[in-house]
Amino acid sequence: MPAWLKDSVFYEIYPQSFFDSNGDGIGDINGIYEKLEYIKSLGFNAIWINPCFDSPFMDAGYDVRDYYMVAPRYGTNDDLKKLFEKAHSMDMRILLDLVPGHTSNSHPWFEQSKKPEKNEYSNRYIWTNSAWEAPPSYRLECGITDRDGNYLVNFFSSQPALNYGFYEITHPDWQMSYKSDECKKTVEEIKNIMRFWLDMGCDGFRVDMADSLVKNDDEKIATAEIWKDIRAMLDEYYPEAVLVSEWCCPKRSLNCGFHADFYLDHKGNGYNIAFRSGDSKSNNNSFFSKNGDGDITPLVNELISDIANTKGKGYVSFITGNHDVKRISHLYDETELKIAYCTLFLLPGVPFLYYGDEIGMRYIDSLTSKEGGFHRTGSRTPMQWNDGKNLGFSETDCDKLYLPVDNSKDAPTVLSQLNNENSLLNTVKNIIAIRRSTSDFSADGDFEALYAEKNKYPFIFKRGNHIVCVNPSQRTEAVNINVDIESELFMIGNVNYDNGIMTTQPQSFAVYKLK
């Protein structure tokens, strides 16, 4: 287990929307380079960059055309290498986004695979054995190549699935076992890609759709074998490299080779119920809503279970949001966001913040789809740095921007919040400082729920020699609790402890050190 991960706090960057350094309206690698000091100043010591490889951008870069080359819109491989080097000089780490499940349909491998003549790449993707063979249980693209067969896609039609084989074979004429030599070649090529970027200075990878490599593998038995094999390679040759999975099942992912796994916004899971159970500020029954209609127990129960089943194997990861979901600010006002973030950053595991969430950037629902974004497009707008041209994102004409900036008169910016000690930005900065001030709040620190009752407030939990009290509701709530407080470290609103009773005023949050 790489030691650096347990103290990491990650900042996710959607590169085309972070900072445009050359005035072409699109964010780039050098833009990230220029803003490293800002990210570091908030307390973040690690970064995850969404795909930055060459692509036709039918799915915003998740359709890779060349795994070994930075997309020209972002710069060059040398630019990325310089970014790694500067980050390391600042004691920061960078993860790249690895997309192992599919490529673009313009990738050279697929250009060869779709040819009628047998060649080295014929089996790099999954093809049926005839243009007339198209079982409805599979997502197939039919009759659009000269090859006599149809190819399986993972998501969009432009994303043919790489061939890792099948666990249960239902059509033996064209389905290969995941143990076949042809499928193993795919795994070896992914290893080569990882080695290339790790040798350049990358610190690891966030892995897209990590649980979906092998098909007909409902229990992920074969997929787990592949990741264990990849992890063995990393442990031997790159022991400090980290793998973070998009899986949302720590009990599986952390036991098959990953170092951390995201809690994703899946309807009805603990993360969803606690943070994102609603469709608007007025219709929000999340626990962290001031409406006070939420339930923290599903999240607490899942967290306790996952920690017990993965102790020593890796960490869960809580996220403020990401490029695939509506920005969390569409559900919360500023005070609600402060309390939600402060809780998230002090829970066990490795936290991730999506760029712009630190200032409460808004979800823009009026945008048409951009590069396959569809409903996600409104969460991918340019970072808002100041009140200047294009809110500081780019020195170019607005109609040339990757996406338009928030044109609201009160659009939040970094500059407007930087010198306001009570701003959301500085709240994030202060709570990260508390997290990093003691090992009690590290990813693997102890966790105990002192008060977490169904549909009740507050939520009180213990991390080592510290306790955290959380009352997002608009009600005063008091509970009996037996603790011995030495000092108050942080507070939002008003929380008071007297004679064994913890009284939390409406919309309050507190961190205490115990004797």
Short mmCIF file of all heavy atoms in Angstrom, two decimals, residues 1-2 4-6 8 10 95 205-207 210 231 241-263 310 313-318 348-352 443:
data_model
loop_
_atom_site.label_atom_id
_atom_site.label_comp_id
_atom_site.label_asym_id
_atom_site.label_seq_id
_atom_site.Cartn_x
_atom_site.Cartn_y
_atom_site.Cartn_z
N MET A 1 0.85 -1.21 0.00
CA MET A 1 0.00 0.00 0.00
C MET A 1 0.88 1.25 0.00
O MET A 1 1.68 1.45 0.92
CB MET A 1 -0.89 0.00 1.24
CG MET A 1 -1.71 1.26 1.43
SD MET A 1 -2.98 1.46 0.18
CE MET A 1 -4.05 0.09 0.62
N PRO A 2 0.78 2.11 -1.02
CA PRO A 2 1.57 3.35 -1.03
C PRO A 2 1.22 4.21 0.19
O PRO A 2 0.06 4.56 0.41
CB PRO A 2 1.13 4.03 -2.33
CG PRO A 2 0.65 2.90 -3.21
CD PRO A 2 0.01 1.93 -2.26
N TRP A 4 1.73 7.26 0.83
CA TRP A 4 1.27 8.63 0.60
C TRP A 4 -0.23 8.75 0.46
O TRP A 4 -0.81 9.82 0.69
CB TRP A 4 1.96 9.24 -0.63
CG TRP A 4 1.68 8.58 -1.95
CD1 TRP A 4 2.41 7.59 -2.53
CD2 TRP A 4 0.62 8.88 -2.86
NE1 TRP A 4 1.88 7.26 -3.76
CE2 TRP A 4 0.78 8.04 -3.99
CE3 TRP A 4 -0.44 9.78 -2.86
CZ2 TRP A 4 -0.09 8.06 -5.08
CZ3 TRP A 4 -1.32 9.81 -3.94
CH2 TRP A 4 -1.13 8.95 -5.03
N LEU A 5 -0.90 7.65 0.13
CA LEU A 5 -2.33 7.73 -0.16
C LEU A 5 -3.16 8.05 1.07
O LEU A 5 -4.17 8.76 0.98
CB LEU A 5 -2.81 6.43 -0.80
CG LEU A 5 -4.27 6.40 -1.27
CD1 LEU A 5 -4.51 7.47 -2.32
CD2 LEU A 5 -4.62 5.03 -1.80
N LYS A 6 -2.77 7.55 2.23
CA LYS A 6 -3.64 7.70 3.40
C LYS A 6 -3.75 9.15 3.87
O LYS A 6 -4.69 9.49 4.61
CB LYS A 6 -3.16 6.80 4.54
CG LYS A 6 -1.93 7.27 5.27
CD LYS A 6 -1.67 6.37 6.49
CE LYS A 6 -0.49 6.86 7.31
NZ LYS A 6 -0.29 6.03 8.52
N SER A 8 -3.81 11.69 1.57
CA SER A 8 -4.09 12.45 0.35
C SER A 8 -5.51 13.04 0.36
O SER A 8 -6.45 12.41 0.84
CB SER A 8 -3.93 11.56 -0.88
OG SER A 8 -2.57 11.21 -1.05
N PHE A 10 -7.75 14.76 -2.73
CA PHE A 10 -7.67 14.90 -4.19
C PHE A 10 -8.56 16.02 -4.73
O PHE A 10 -9.65 16.27 -4.23
CB PHE A 10 -8.10 13.59 -4.85
CG PHE A 10 -7.02 12.57 -4.97
CD1 PHE A 10 -6.77 11.68 -3.92
CD2 PHE A 10 -6.23 12.47 -6.11
CE1 PHE A 10 -5.78 10.72 -4.02
CE2 PHE A 10 -5.24 11.52 -6.22
CZ PHE A 10 -5.01 10.64 -5.17
N LEU A 95 -2.83 11.58 -10.60
CA LEU A 95 -3.38 10.39 -11.22
C LEU A 95 -3.93 10.75 -12.59
O LEU A 95 -4.58 11.79 -12.76
CB LEU A 95 -4.54 9.81 -10.39
CG LEU A 95 -4.29 9.38 -8.95
CD1 LEU A 95 -5.53 8.69 -8.40
CD2 LEU A 95 -3.08 8.48 -8.82
N PHE A 205 -3.45 5.74 -11.38
CA PHE A 205 -4.57 5.89 -12.29
C PHE A 205 -5.91 5.78 -11.55
O PHE A 205 -6.07 4.97 -10.65
CB PHE A 205 -4.55 4.80 -13.36
CG PHE A 205 -3.28 4.78 -14.16
CD1 PHE A 205 -2.20 4.00 -13.76
CD2 PHE A 205 -3.15 5.56 -15.31
CE1 PHE A 205 -1.02 3.98 -14.48
CE2 PHE A 205 -1.96 5.55 -16.03
CZ PHE A 205 -0.90 4.76 -15.61
N ARG A 206 -6.83 6.61 -11.95
CA ARG A 206 -8.23 6.37 -11.65
C ARG A 206 -8.74 5.56 -12.84
O ARG A 206 -8.52 5.92 -13.99
CB ARG A 206 -8.99 7.69 -11.51
CG ARG A 206 -10.50 7.52 -11.31
CD ARG A 206 -11.22 7.54 -12.63
NE ARG A 206 -12.68 7.61 -12.51
CZ ARG A 206 -13.52 7.53 -13.52
NH1 ARG A 206 -13.06 7.37 -14.76
NH2 ARG A 206 -14.81 7.62 -13.34
N VAL A 207 -9.41 4.45 -12.58
CA VAL A 207 -9.78 3.52 -13.64
C VAL A 207 -11.27 3.60 -13.94
O VAL A 207 -12.11 3.31 -13.10
CB VAL A 207 -9.39 2.07 -13.26
CG1 VAL A 207 -9.76 1.13 -14.39
CG2 VAL A 207 -7.89 1.99 -12.97
N ALA A 210 -14.16 0.20 -13.96
CA ALA A 210 -13.19 -0.83 -13.59
C ALA A 210 -13.79 -2.22 -13.44
O ALA A 210 -13.09 -3.22 -13.56
CB ALA A 210 -12.50 -0.43 -12.28
N ARG A 231 -2.27 -5.52 -10.31
CA ARG A 231 -1.76 -5.03 -9.02
C ARG A 231 -0.42 -5.70 -8.68
O ARG A 231 0.50 -5.06 -8.15
CB ARG A 231 -2.78 -5.29 -7.92
CG ARG A 231 -2.32 -5.00 -6.50
CD ARG A 231 -2.06 -3.52 -6.22
NE ARG A 231 -1.60 -3.35 -4.85
CZ ARG A 231 -2.41 -3.15 -3.79
NH1 ARG A 231 -3.71 -3.07 -3.97
NH2 ARG A 231 -1.91 -3.01 -2.59
N ALA A 241 2.73 3.42 -6.93
CA ALA A 241 1.64 3.77 -7.84
C ALA A 241 0.30 3.36 -7.25
O ALA A 241 0.17 2.28 -6.65
CB ALA A 241 1.85 3.11 -9.19
N VAL A 242 -0.68 4.20 -7.46
CA VAL A 242 -2.01 4.00 -6.87
C VAL A 242 -3.05 3.69 -7.94
O VAL A 242 -3.02 4.26 -9.04
CB VAL A 242 -2.43 5.26 -6.07
CG1 VAL A 242 -3.93 5.32 -5.86
CG2 VAL A 242 -1.71 5.29 -4.73
N LEU A 243 -3.97 2.79 -7.61
CA LEU A 243 -5.12 2.49 -8.45
C LEU A 243 -6.39 2.84 -7.71
O LEU A 243 -6.65 2.33 -6.61
CB LEU A 243 -5.16 1.00 -8.81
CG LEU A 243 -4.23 0.46 -9.88
CD1 LEU A 243 -4.49 -1.04 -10.08
CD2 LEU A 243 -4.41 1.19 -11.20
N VAL A 244 -7.20 3.72 -8.29
CA VAL A 244 -8.50 4.10 -7.73
C VAL A 244 -9.58 3.65 -8.70
O VAL A 244 -9.49 3.94 -9.90
CB VAL A 244 -8.60 5.62 -7.49
CG1 VAL A 244 -9.97 5.99 -6.94
CG2 VAL A 244 -7.49 6.08 -6.55
N SER A 245 -10.58 2.96 -8.21
CA SER A 245 -11.57 2.36 -9.11
C SER A 245 -12.89 3.12 -9.14
O SER A 245 -13.36 3.63 -8.12
CB SER A 245 -11.85 0.91 -8.70
OG SER A 245 -12.26 0.84 -7.35
N GLU A 246 -13.46 3.18 -10.34
CA GLU A 246 -14.87 3.54 -10.48
C GLU A 246 -15.64 2.22 -10.43
O GLU A 246 -15.85 1.56 -11.44
CB GLU A 246 -15.13 4.25 -11.82
CG GLU A 246 -16.57 4.69 -11.95
CD GLU A 246 -16.91 5.20 -13.35
OE1 GLU A 246 -16.34 4.69 -14.33
OE2 GLU A 246 -17.76 6.09 -13.45
N TRP A 247 -16.03 1.83 -9.22
CA TRP A 247 -16.64 0.52 -9.02
C TRP A 247 -17.85 0.63 -8.10
O TRP A 247 -18.90 0.05 -8.32
CB TRP A 247 -15.60 -0.43 -8.42
CG TRP A 247 -15.93 -1.89 -8.47
CD1 TRP A 247 -17.08 -2.50 -8.08
CD2 TRP A 247 -15.07 -2.93 -8.94
NE1 TRP A 247 -17.00 -3.86 -8.27
CE2 TRP A 247 -15.77 -4.15 -8.80
CE3 TRP A 247 -13.77 -2.97 -9.45
CZ2 TRP A 247 -15.22 -5.39 -9.16
CZ3 TRP A 247 -13.23 -4.20 -9.80
CH2 TRP A 247 -13.94 -5.39 -9.66
N CYS A 248 -17.69 1.41 -7.01
CA CYS A 248 -18.74 1.61 -6.01
C CYS A 248 -19.09 0.30 -5.30
O CYS A 248 -20.26 0.02 -5.02
CB CYS A 248 -19.99 2.24 -6.62
SG CYS A 248 -21.09 3.01 -5.39
N CYS A 249 -18.08 -0.47 -5.02
CA CYS A 249 -18.24 -1.69 -4.23
C CYS A 249 -16.91 -2.01 -3.57
O CYS A 249 -16.18 -2.89 -4.03
CB CYS A 249 -18.72 -2.85 -5.10
SG CYS A 249 -19.11 -4.34 -4.15
N PRO A 250 -16.56 -1.29 -2.50
CA PRO A 250 -15.24 -1.48 -1.89
C PRO A 250 -14.95 -2.91 -1.49
O PRO A 250 -13.80 -3.36 -1.56
CB PRO A 250 -15.29 -0.55 -0.66
CG PRO A 250 -16.29 0.49 -1.02
CD PRO A 250 -17.33 -0.21 -1.85
N LYS A 251 -15.99 -3.64 -1.05
CA LYS A 251 -15.75 -5.02 -0.61
C LYS A 251 -15.19 -5.87 -1.73
O LYS A 251 -14.47 -6.84 -1.48
CB LYS A 251 -17.06 -5.62 -0.09
CG LYS A 251 -17.59 -4.94 1.17
CD LYS A 251 -18.95 -5.50 1.55
CE LYS A 251 -19.55 -4.71 2.70
NZ LYS A 251 -20.90 -5.19 3.08
N ARG A 252 -15.53 -5.53 -2.96
CA ARG A 252 -14.98 -6.26 -4.10
C ARG A 252 -13.70 -5.61 -4.61
O ARG A 252 -12.67 -6.26 -4.74
CB ARG A 252 -16.01 -6.34 -5.23
CG ARG A 252 -17.04 -7.43 -5.04
CD ARG A 252 -17.97 -7.54 -6.23
NE ARG A 252 -18.81 -8.72 -6.13
CZ ARG A 252 -19.93 -8.90 -6.82
NH1 ARG A 252 -20.35 -7.98 -7.65
NH2 ARG A 252 -20.63 -10.01 -6.67
N SER A 253 -13.79 -4.34 -4.90
CA SER A 253 -12.67 -3.68 -5.59
C SER A 253 -11.40 -3.66 -4.75
O SER A 253 -10.30 -3.88 -5.26
CB SER A 253 -13.06 -2.26 -5.98
OG SER A 253 -13.37 -1.49 -4.84
N LEU A 254 -11.53 -3.40 -3.44
CA LEU A 254 -10.34 -3.31 -2.61
C LEU A 254 -9.75 -4.68 -2.30
O LEU A 254 -8.59 -4.78 -1.89
CB LEU A 254 -10.65 -2.58 -1.30
CG LEU A 254 -11.20 -1.15 -1.46
CD1 LEU A 254 -11.34 -0.48 -0.10
CD2 LEU A 254 -10.34 -0.31 -2.39
N ASN A 255 -10.52 -5.71 -2.52
CA ASN A 255 -10.02 -7.06 -2.33
C ASN A 255 -9.50 -7.69 -3.62
O ASN A 255 -9.12 -8.85 -3.62
CB ASN A 255 -11.11 -7.95 -1.72
CG ASN A 255 -11.23 -7.75 -0.21
OD1 ASN A 255 -10.32 -8.08 0.54
ND2 ASN A 255 -12.34 -7.16 0.23
N CYS A 256 -9.52 -6.92 -4.71
CA CYS A 256 -8.99 -7.47 -5.96
C CYS A 256 -7.92 -6.57 -6.57
O CYS A 256 -7.64 -6.66 -7.75
CB CYS A 256 -10.11 -7.76 -6.95
SG CYS A 256 -10.84 -6.33 -7.73
N GLY A 257 -7.34 -5.68 -5.74
CA GLY A 257 -6.17 -4.97 -6.23
C GLY A 257 -6.21 -3.46 -6.19
O GLY A 257 -5.17 -2.82 -6.34
N PHE A 258 -7.39 -2.87 -5.99
CA PHE A 258 -7.45 -1.42 -5.98
C PHE A 258 -7.10 -0.87 -4.59
O PHE A 258 -7.34 -1.51 -3.57
CB PHE A 258 -8.83 -0.93 -6.41
CG PHE A 258 -9.05 -1.07 -7.90
CD1 PHE A 258 -9.62 -2.21 -8.42
CD2 PHE A 258 -8.62 -0.09 -8.77
CE1 PHE A 258 -9.80 -2.36 -9.79
CE2 PHE A 258 -8.78 -0.23 -10.14
CZ PHE A 258 -9.37 -1.36 -10.65
N HIS A 259 -6.55 0.33 -4.59
CA HIS A 259 -6.17 0.98 -3.34
C HIS A 259 -7.29 1.83 -2.77
O HIS A 259 -7.31 2.11 -1.56
CB HIS A 259 -4.94 1.86 -3.56
CG HIS A 259 -3.73 1.13 -4.03
ND1 HIS A 259 -3.39 1.03 -5.36
CD2 HIS A 259 -2.79 0.43 -3.34
CE1 HIS A 259 -2.27 0.34 -5.48
NE2 HIS A 259 -1.88 -0.05 -4.27
N ALA A 260 -8.20 2.29 -3.61
CA ALA A 260 -9.33 3.09 -3.16
C ALA A 260 -10.48 2.91 -4.15
O ALA A 260 -10.26 2.57 -5.32
CB ALA A 260 -8.95 4.57 -3.05
N ASP A 261 -11.70 3.13 -3.66
CA ASP A 261 -12.88 2.95 -4.50
C ASP A 261 -13.90 4.04 -4.17
O ASP A 261 -14.16 4.34 -3.00
CB ASP A 261 -13.49 1.56 -4.25
CG ASP A 261 -14.70 1.28 -5.14
OD1 ASP A 261 -14.67 1.69 -6.31
OD2 ASP A 261 -15.65 0.65 -4.66
N PHE A 262 -14.48 4.62 -5.21
CA PHE A 262 -15.46 5.69 -5.02
C PHE A 262 -16.80 5.18 -4.50
O PHE A 262 -17.31 4.16 -4.96
CB PHE A 262 -15.75 6.38 -6.36
CG PHE A 262 -14.62 7.20 -6.90
CD1 PHE A 262 -14.14 6.97 -8.18
CD2 PHE A 262 -14.04 8.20 -6.15
CE1 PHE A 262 -13.10 7.72 -8.70
CE2 PHE A 262 -13.00 8.96 -6.66
CZ PHE A 262 -12.54 8.72 -7.93
N TYR A 263 -17.38 5.94 -3.56
CA TYR A 263 -18.81 5.85 -3.31
C TYR A 263 -19.46 6.75 -4.36
O TYR A 263 -19.29 7.97 -4.34
CB TYR A 263 -19.16 6.37 -1.92
CG TYR A 263 -18.95 5.39 -0.80
CD1 TYR A 263 -18.60 5.84 0.47
CD2 TYR A 263 -19.12 4.02 -0.99
CE1 TYR A 263 -18.42 4.95 1.52
CE2 TYR A 263 -18.93 3.13 0.06
CZ TYR A 263 -18.58 3.60 1.30
OH TYR A 263 -18.40 2.71 2.33
N THR A 310 -12.51 -4.49 4.50
CA THR A 310 -11.38 -4.08 3.65
C THR A 310 -10.20 -3.57 4.48
O THR A 310 -9.26 -3.01 3.91
CB THR A 310 -11.81 -2.98 2.66
OG1 THR A 310 -12.27 -1.83 3.39
CG2 THR A 310 -12.91 -3.48 1.74
N LYS A 313 -6.59 -3.29 3.29
CA LYS A 313 -6.57 -3.54 1.83
C LYS A 313 -6.61 -2.23 1.03
O LYS A 313 -6.10 -2.17 -0.08
CB LYS A 313 -7.76 -4.41 1.44
CG LYS A 313 -7.82 -5.76 2.14
CD LYS A 313 -6.76 -6.70 1.61
CE LYS A 313 -6.88 -8.08 2.24
NZ LYS A 313 -8.16 -8.76 1.93
N GLY A 314 -7.30 -1.21 1.57
CA GLY A 314 -7.46 0.04 0.83
C GLY A 314 -8.51 0.90 1.51
O GLY A 314 -8.94 0.64 2.63
N TYR A 315 -8.96 1.94 0.79
CA TYR A 315 -9.81 2.96 1.38
C TYR A 315 -11.04 3.25 0.52
O TYR A 315 -11.00 3.15 -0.71
CB TYR A 315 -9.03 4.28 1.53
CG TYR A 315 -7.67 4.12 2.17
CD1 TYR A 315 -6.52 4.48 1.47
CD2 TYR A 315 -7.53 3.60 3.45
CE1 TYR A 315 -5.26 4.34 2.04
CE2 TYR A 315 -6.27 3.45 4.03
CZ TYR A 315 -5.14 3.83 3.32
OH TYR A 315 -3.90 3.68 3.88
N VAL A 316 -12.11 3.63 1.20
CA VAL A 316 -13.26 4.17 0.47
C VAL A 316 -12.94 5.62 0.09
O VAL A 316 -12.04 6.24 0.66
CB VAL A 316 -14.54 4.13 1.33
CG1 VAL A 316 -14.90 2.70 1.70
CG2 VAL A 316 -14.39 4.98 2.59
N SER A 317 -13.67 6.14 -0.89
CA SER A 317 -13.47 7.52 -1.31
C SER A 317 -14.80 8.24 -1.43
O SER A 317 -15.66 7.82 -2.21
CB SER A 317 -12.74 7.58 -2.66
OG SER A 317 -11.36 7.37 -2.50
N PHE A 318 -14.97 9.29 -0.65
CA PHE A 318 -16.13 10.15 -0.77
C PHE A 318 -15.83 11.29 -1.74
O PHE A 318 -14.70 11.79 -1.79
CB PHE A 318 -16.51 10.74 0.59
CG PHE A 318 -17.13 9.74 1.53
CD1 PHE A 318 -16.39 9.16 2.54
CD2 PHE A 318 -18.45 9.36 1.37
CE1 PHE A 318 -16.96 8.22 3.40
CE2 PHE A 318 -19.03 8.43 2.21
CZ PHE A 318 -18.29 7.86 3.23
N PRO A 348 -13.68 8.74 7.30
CA PRO A 348 -12.57 7.88 6.86
C PRO A 348 -12.49 7.81 5.34
O PRO A 348 -13.47 8.03 4.64
CB PRO A 348 -12.94 6.51 7.45
CG PRO A 348 -13.93 6.76 8.50
CD PRO A 348 -14.67 8.00 8.09
N GLY A 349 -11.31 7.46 4.83
CA GLY A 349 -11.15 7.28 3.40
C GLY A 349 -10.41 8.43 2.75
O GLY A 349 -9.88 9.33 3.41
N VAL A 350 -10.38 8.38 1.43
CA VAL A 350 -9.65 9.36 0.62
C VAL A 350 -10.66 10.25 -0.10
O VAL A 350 -11.35 9.78 -1.01
CB VAL A 350 -8.74 8.65 -0.40
CG1 VAL A 350 -7.99 9.67 -1.25
CG2 VAL A 350 -7.75 7.73 0.30
N PRO A 351 -10.77 11.52 0.28
CA PRO A 351 -11.79 12.39 -0.33
C PRO A 351 -11.34 13.01 -1.65
O PRO A 351 -10.16 13.26 -1.87
CB PRO A 351 -12.00 13.47 0.74
CG PRO A 351 -10.68 13.56 1.42
CD PRO A 351 -10.07 12.19 1.39
N PHE A 352 -12.34 13.27 -2.51
CA PHE A 352 -12.12 13.92 -3.80
C PHE A 352 -13.08 15.11 -3.92
O PHE A 352 -14.28 14.96 -3.67
CB PHE A 352 -12.41 12.97 -4.96
CG PHE A 352 -11.32 11.97 -5.24
CD1 PHE A 352 -11.05 10.94 -4.36
CD2 PHE A 352 -10.57 12.05 -6.41
CE1 PHE A 352 -10.08 10.00 -4.63
CE2 PHE A 352 -9.58 11.11 -6.68
CZ PHE A 352 -9.33 10.09 -5.79
N ALA A 443 -6.89 8.59 6.20
CA ALA A 443 -7.80 7.67 5.53
C ALA A 443 -8.09 6.42 6.35
O ALA A 443 -9.20 5.89 6.33
CB ALA A 443 -7.22 7.27 4.16
#
